[in-house]
Amino acid sequence: NASAYAIISGGATFDQVIGIRFIASGGDGPTNCLVSSCLFSNMLGQPIVMVGHNNIITNNEFTAIYGNSFIVYSGYNHIIRRNYFHDCPLPLYYGENDIVDHTGGTFYDYYVRTIIQSTLQTVNSNILIMENWMEDVEGAGIAMSHSDTADPGDIHSTFLLGNVFIGIAGPTDG
């Protein structure tokens, strides 16, 4: 099968490659940043991990991504819009170390989610996810959940508007 891919565990810590990582160091994290018109392709990992507030991710293309999430966000007043996610198959698994949950969370390594809310910060609010196109992506489209350790009300004012889901296969959650 020409479209099948195999993932071998990425070392003892099971780290993945991150394309762009916003780091919160002693505060809310980066603010007023723009990630636009970028191509993320053939990656084993997460193209964007964003924390902070007032950041925008727009007009990017994601293809052939083999990590557990494409955009991981945390914080408040973010806009994720007009991104194109396509042709991203789930990888094959070879051994127990490839599929067990090494993060202590509730999902397995390399379980693909297109856009996922994270609990990197305790409050996630005023998030606008709109006009994104997801086509032929195996895994969940958009996933949101609250942390077991954070206040159960830590997610609020998240808006999903005008997103397109075509050929999304596999388990979903939310």
Side-chain angles (χ1 to χ4, degrees), residues 51-123:
V51 298
H53 59 276
N54 299 326
N55 297 311
I56 299 173
I57 298 175
T58 187
N59 296 318
N60 299 289
E61 181 177 355
F62 301 82
T63 185
I65 304 299
Y66 309 102
N68 66 12
S69 304
F70 301 171
I71 297 175
V72 179
Y73 70 88
S74 187
Y76 56 93
N77 297 336
H78 295 312
I79 298 173
I80 301 171
R81 73 168 175 231
R82 296 189 191 120
N83 296 288
Y84 180 38
F85 307 88
H86 64 97
D87 302 309
C88 297
L90 283 174
L92 298 176
Y93 302 110
Y94 274 93
E96 181 179 314
N97 286 336
D98 295 323
I99 60 172
V100 297
D101 176 14
H102 301 287
T103 64
T106 57
F107 60 90
Y108 293 108
D109 284 359
Y110 314 121
Y111 172 77
V112 177
R113 295 176 173 122
T114 306
I115 301 171
I116 180 171
Q117 171 270 323
S118 172
T119 55
L120 295 169
Q121 293 177 293
T122 57
V123 175

Side-chain angles (χ1 to χ4, degrees), residues 14-73:
F14 305 97
D15 289 339
Q16 300 180 62
V17 173
I18 295 175
I20 297 174
R21 181 176 203 143
F22 292 53
I23 297 175
S25 176
D28 282 343
T31 63
N32 302 309
C33 297
L34 172 67
V35 177
S36 181
S37 304
C38 297
L39 170 64
F40 299 92
S41 180
N42 297 298
M43 287 184 66
L44 172 60
Q46 301 165 328
I48 300 174
V49 176
M50 173 178 63
V51 298
H53 59 276
N54 299 326
N55 297 311
I56 299 173
I57 298 175
T58 187
N59 296 318
N60 299 289
E61 181 177 355
F62 301 82
T63 185
I65 304 299
Y66 309 102
N68 66 12
S69 304
F70 301 171
I71 297 175
V72 179
Y73 70 88

